Amino acid sequence: MLRQLLSDDLPRSRILTALLVVILLGLALAPFLTSGARPLNTAATICVYIVLVASYDLLLGYTGIVSFAHTMFYGIGAYGVGLALARVDEPTWGIAMTGLGLALLLALALALVVGLFALRVQAIFYAMITLAVASSFAVLASQLSDFTGGEDGVTFSVPHVLSPAYRLIEHEVFGRHLDGRVLTYYVVFFGCLLLFLFLLRLVNSPFGRVLQAIRENAFRAEALGYRTMVYRIWANVLAALTASLAGALMALWLRYVGPKTSLGFEVMTDILLIVVIGGMGTMYGAVVGATLFILAQNYLKDWMAHGAAALDGVPLLAAALHPDRWMLWLGLLFILSIYWFPVGIVGKLRLQAWLATRP
């Protein structure tokens, strides 16, 4: 049963298995393990970024395509749901699904256009084309202020069942009310879980094996009879649609959509860092990398503040751990992770497990 659910792609490492179980249980029980809005927001962000990074790894790690347009598709999904709900007085599921459907159609059209015209060029040239397209889309979203809200973005209401005022039951469960916010979290959690399992199945299917063959040697794959251009375009389309769904879930959680949160190049930078930290060419790398990166991004500053307070008697160390320098330490941690895990955390753990089984 578990093998079928994971598409026969088991972690193959005891440490990795334990890590994945802890992450899954932590995310599944986050509303009851934590209190306050910040931890729950961090957990929801981790869920969305796992799918977003995994969909990008379908391009980079499994197909060998370097694209900088992934945040464009992520933003399309977010804007589709956000703009649809912002333009009605009474938000409903039908309106949200209509906005999502239109966003997916737009993402499909753009992914096909980008794939048909840009995938005929190789390596850095394709990356530059996708960067130009994504930048143009971000500028367009900022300039059309009457439609998209411009730089300020758009806030919107969600269906009543997802609003904080809604109560599923009156009494608390494990110290927390089952309100609309908790229900929204589980919509995000289960939506991201299904999308991740879909991507896991995709990369372990015959289609996914062909993508890996194209990554290793496109000329040999074509000589074997595979139409590599068609497979690349399909990979681009599937990654774009999955990223759009992740953006829609994020917009539903935030109840806000704007160019900085959905279309900014900072999001693309985060995706690239997470892929490298977790390990390219492995879906589980997105899980581990996104969890560690989002936790560090949200809590490293607080941890440094506690460390600086504990080392108050050592002025030099206290100054080095000042919370204002958290970006410096985040960069150092990234450099160390690359040094100790050159093939990513998941890649290193799997390699160690494989070496341990050799006679």
Side-chain angles (χ1 to χ4, degrees):
M1 178 64 181
L2 183 62
R3 281 183 173 274
Q4 292 179 343
L5 189 63
L6 298 179
S7 303
D8 205 29
D9 188 1
L10 299 177
R12 300 197 296 273
S13 165
R14 291 182 179 179
I15 298 176
L16 178 59
T17 300
L19 194 57
L20 292 173
V21 170
V22 169
I23 293 172
L24 177 62
L25 292 178
L27 293 176
L29 302 175
F32 307 105
L33 296 176
T34 62
S35 60
R38 186 181 180 189
L40 198 59
N41 182 67
T42 301
T45 304
I46 290 173
C47 291
V48 172
Y49 266 71
I50 286 173
V51 174
L52 183 60
V53 173
S55 64
Y56 185 72
D57 199 33
L58 177 66
L59 289 178
L60 181 62
Y62 284 90
T63 318
I65 298 173
V66 181
S67 170
F68 291 126
H70 212 58
T71 50
M72 177 181 70
F73 300 113
Y74 175 69
I76 288 173
Y79 269 100
V81 172
L83 295 179
L85 291 174
R87 278 161 171 73
V88 294
D89 296 328
E90 185 65 29
T92 63
W93 288 108
I95 295 296
M97 295 306 294
T98 300
L100 177 59
L102 293 174
L104 291 177
L105 287 176
L106 178 59
L108 174 63
L110 287 175
L112 285 173
V113 170
V114 171
L116 288 172
F117 288 96
L119 281 175
R120 296 185 180 277
V121 296
Q122 299 295 321
I124 192 64
F125 303 105
Y126 174 70
M128 291 299 101
I129 291 174
T130 56
L131 178 60
V133 173
S135 300
S136 301
F137 195 87
V139 171
L140 188 64
S142 299
Q143 295 298 320
L144 296 177
S145 55
D146 292 338
F147 181 64
T148 63
E151 293 290 343
D152 296 330
V154 175
T155 57
F156 55 90
S157 300
V158 293
H160 176 65
V161 70
L162 301 182
S163 65
Y166 177 80
R167 291 283 191 276
L168 183 62
I169 54 178
E170 290 301 323
H171 60 275
E172 293 184 351
V173 177
F174 298 112
R176 184 183 281 271
H177 283 292
L178 295 182
D179 57 12
R181 199 63 175 157
V182 174
L183 295 180
T184 306
Y185 175 78
Y186 279 111
V187 168
V188 172
F189 172 76
F190 284 110
C192 290
L193 181 61
L194 290 175
L195 288 172
F196 178 79
L197 291 176
F198 163 73
L199 289 172
L200 194 63
R201 180 70 189 98
L202 185 67
V203 298
N204 288 287
S205 67
F207 175 81
R209 301 303 183 194
V210 175
L211 294 184
Q212 294 173 60
I214 293 172
R215 177 197 64 195
E216 296 300 324
N217 193 318
F219 294 107
R220 185 172 295 175
E222 194 161 3
L224 290 173
Y226 295 108
R227 300 176 63 185
T228 57
M229 184 62 61
V230 174
Y231 279 90
R232 283 176 171 172
I233 291 173
W234 268 111
N236 195 51
V237 168
L238 291 171
L241 293 178
T242 309
S244 297
L245 290 170
L249 290 172
M250 194 61 175
L252 201 64
W253 172 255
L254 295 176
R255 290 176 291 172
Y256 165 82
V257 62
K260 290 295 182 182
T261 59
S262 304
L263 296 170
F265 192 72
E266 295 84 358
V267 179
M268 190 70 240
T269 305
D270 292 346
I271 294 172
L272 290 170
L273 292 176
I274 294 171
V275 167
V276 174
I277 292 171
M280 289 187 292
T282 165
M283 288 287 123
Y284 297 121
V287 179
V288 176
T291 302
L292 295 178
F293 185 83
I294 299 300
L295 285 175
Q297 200 175 50
N298 283 273
Y299 290 104
L300 182 60
K301 193 173 182 178
D302 294 340
W303 297 336
M304 289 178 61
H306 291 305
L311 296 171
D312 191 49
V314 187
L316 185 61
L317 291 178
L321 290 176
H322 194 279
D324 289 344
R325 297 183 173 87
W326 75 277
M327 285 292 290
L328 171 64
W329 284 99
L330 185 63
L332 290 175
L333 289 174
F334 175 71
I335 293 172
L336 290 175
S337 70
I338 297 302
Y339 178 77
W340 290 108
F341 304 99
V343 290
I345 295 174
V346 172
K348 183 71 174 289
L349 292 175
R350 282 185 158 179
L351 179 61
Q352 289 178 341
W354 178 74
L355 290 175
T357 59
R358 295 185 65 187

